[in-house]
Amino acid sequence: MNRIICGVDVSKDWLDAFIRPSGTFERFSNDATGIGALADLCRAENVELVVMEASGGYERTAFLLLWELGIACALANPRHVRRFAESMGFLEKTDRIDAAMIAHYAETRRLAALPPPKAAQMRLSALMARLSQVTSDLTIQMQRRSAARDQQCEASLNEVIALLVRQSRTLEGEIASMIDDDPLWACLNQAFRSIKGVANRTVARLMAQLPEIGQISNKAIAKLAGLAPIANDSGKRSGHRPVRGGRSGPRAILFLVGAIAARHDPHLAAFQQRLQSAGKPKMVIRIALARKLLVILNAKARDARREFEYAT
């Protein structure tokens, strides 16, 4: 039996809701009042699941508040929904069509409710995102300073750089304190740092942006990070298997740390040497090292979680 699903197309100001299979469509403001009205409609229509696209943060308030009001919610990948709509023959794009396609996609894919992360997880993610922004701004300002030819301009850049350095250190300290204060995170931190080359920022990035680590299979975690090769075979042809998609933040830092860890860890070093001896391209080796490191970290996180659960 089909579920009653509400697809919600999210924008900065509006929430456009389409309920399947009744076909009810209504627009609500994207604020507490509108979200409350949307919850009332869902109760009246006996909606079992509300599904919305990840819309760059505009969906966050609605997602969290609906859960607080007792309405189960899930998130869908916007690109997947768009391609699904096109495969169904909907080349046009309107708010009503988008909401209907989200509901149809959720029903077809049998999406399950996605409970919101805990407050500590959301705060860690926010702090890590801000630290990444500050680090990026710091790099830009230092590049500008190296090209500056005027003393006043250089002094102005030095002030900005000093401010960014202070903010970076403050954020790093706050993130480290959060990890140390949480028993599970402290246990995972110790497990990750047993690999030489894995430092504070790597641990924080994994915990903030890849919280599933240690809870899913090696294949699943590699795909989540965009490090799993995608099959490209047809008939007798066995095509090149690229990696794509996934979460760019963890993938980027695993690229860097994988090369560093290979200098110290004998197993990673031997793995790298085998690939080089086989004549693999540098980029293939880089991806393989990152994936190998992630698999090792996933195993260590799984063991650490089991030990923590047993101890508690």
Side-chain angles (χ1 to χ4, degrees), residues 43-54:
R43 293 191 192 96
E45 295 278 346
N46 296 316
V47 168
E48 300 170 51
L49 182 68
V50 173
V51 182
M52 57 192 77
E53 294 176 330

Side-chain angles (χ1 to χ4, degrees), residues 15-19 24-28 37-38 41 45 96:
L15 300 171
D16 294 287
F18 183 96
I19 298 178
T24 302
F25 174 79
E26 287 193 34
R27 166 171 280 190
F28 304 92
L38 172 59
L41 174 65
E45 295 278 346
R96 183 184 184 118

Side-chain angles (χ1 to χ4, degrees), residues 26-310:
E26 287 193 34
R27 166 171 280 190
F28 304 92
S29 58
N30 192 359
D31 55 25
T33 302
I35 295 167
L38 172 59
D40 291 339
L41 174 65
C42 290
R43 293 191 192 96
E45 295 278 346
N46 296 316
V47 168
E48 300 170 51
L49 182 68
V50 173
V51 182
M52 57 192 77
E53 294 176 330
S55 303
Y58 291 138
E59 80 290 348
R60 188 175 297 116
T61 301
F63 181 81
L64 296 175
L65 190 52
L66 284 172
W67 270 106
E68 289 181 10
L69 294 173
I71 307 296
C73 300
L75 295 175
N77 187 308
R79 182 175 61 181
H80 294 174
V81 175
R82 185 65 250 164
R83 288 181 176 177
F84 175 81
E86 291 172 354
S87 73
M88 297 298 292
F90 288 90
L91 302 181
E92 57 271 61
K93 191 178 188 316
T94 66
D95 296 331
R96 183 184 184 118
I97 290 175
D98 287 349
M101 285 298 102
I102 292 170
H104 195 180
Y105 171 82
E107 180 185 23
T108 304
R109 288 296 306 274
R110 297 183 180 180
L111 293 188
L114 177 68
K118 295 180 180 178
Q121 181 66 52
M122 289 192 291
R123 185 161 188 268
L124 179 63
S125 298
L127 290 174
M128 196 63 218
R130 180 55 190 157
L131 179 58
S132 297
Q133 294 169 356
V134 171
T135 302
S136 178
D137 291 344
L138 184 58
T139 301
I140 293 171
Q141 297 304 322
M142 292 179 73
Q143 290 172 345
R144 289 174 177 170
R145 184 178 63 180
S146 66
R149 295 295 179 266
D150 181 83
Q151 289 186 351
Q152 186 173 356
C153 292
E154 187 173 349
S156 175
L157 288 165
N158 283 334
E159 290 181 12
V160 176
I161 289 171
L163 172 63
L164 292 173
V165 168
R166 288 196 302 272
Q167 288 194 359
S168 177
R169 289 173 179 170
T170 300
L171 290 166
E172 288 175 346
E174 187 62 32
I175 290 169
S177 296
M178 286 191 69
I179 293 174
D180 290 339
D181 292 342
D182 186 286
L184 175 58
W185 285 351
C187 189
L188 290 172
N189 179 41
Q190 185 177 2
F192 291 155
R193 290 171 69 87
S194 65
I195 300 176
K196 196 168 184 179
V198 177
N200 293 343
R201 192 162 297 201
T202 305
V203 173
R205 180 71 64 87
L206 291 174
M207 290 183 181
Q209 300 179 350
L210 205 62
E212 299 88 350
I213 193 164
Q215 302 180 79
I216 57 179
S217 69
N218 293 337
K219 288 184 178 180
I221 200 72
K223 190 171 184 179
L224 205 57
L227 291 169
I230 306 300
N232 184 24
D233 303 335
S234 180
K236 296 181 179 180
R237 181 181 67 85
S238 180
H240 171 67
R241 298 191 170 195
V243 295
R244 68 170 185 263
R247 299 177 188 173
S248 59
R251 181 172 63 251
I253 202 162
L254 286 167
F255 279 151
L256 294 173
V257 178
I260 296 171
R263 301 174 193 166
H264 306 284
D265 186 283
H267 298 293
L268 285 172
F271 177 68
Q272 183 181 37
Q273 184 59 46
R274 287 198 302 271
L275 294 175
Q276 291 173 343
S277 300
K280 297 295 183 181
K282 289 183 178 180
M283 192 60 193
V284 171
I285 296 174
R286 188 183 182 197
I287 294 170
L289 274 175
R291 182 168 61 249
K292 187 77 168 179
L293 175 61
L294 178 59
V295 167
I296 294 172
L297 291 170
N298 192 51
K300 286 186 175 293
R302 184 165 51 245
D303 292 342
R305 288 179 184 275
R306 287 173 181 170
E307 290 178 8
F308 177 80
E309 290 173 1
Y310 178 78

